[in-house]
Amino acid sequence: MQEAWVTLQCPDCEANWEAQVGDLAAPDADFDCHGCETAAPLAEFMQTTRDLEVLQEFH
C-alpha cells in the first residue's frame, strides 16, 4: 500500500498539521483537534479539496 499524507486544519483554531491517510478514519468519522479539542467530522479538517479526495480514495 502506498503512503499518502494530507494536511489537516482545525475549522475553529486553524491549527495545521499533517497526517498519514492510513492512520485516519473515514471522512464522516468524528475527529478531535489536537490543539483546541474541537470535534467535527474528519472531512471538515481537510485543508484542501485535494486532501479530502485523497482521504476518500483510501476509504
Side-chain angles (χ1 to χ4, degrees):
M1 175 188 253
Q2 281 186 325
E3 290 186 25
W5 293 82
V6 293
T7 303
L8 294 98
Q9 181 175 20
C10 177
D12 286 343
C13 74
E14 298 185 8
N16 291 332
W17 65 97
E18 291 184 344
Q20 196 169 11
V21 176
D23 294 339
L24 297 173
D28 60 346
D30 286 338
F31 188 79
D32 297 327
C33 174
H34 300 294
C36 70
E37 298 182 11
T38 293
L42 180 58
E44 293 183 24
F45 285 86
M46 296 297 108
Q47 185 175 31
T48 66
T49 302
R50 183 64 188 140
D51 290 324
L52 179 56
E53 291 169 355
V54 170
L55 179 64
Q56 290 170 335
E57 288 174 13
F58 275 76
H59 292 279

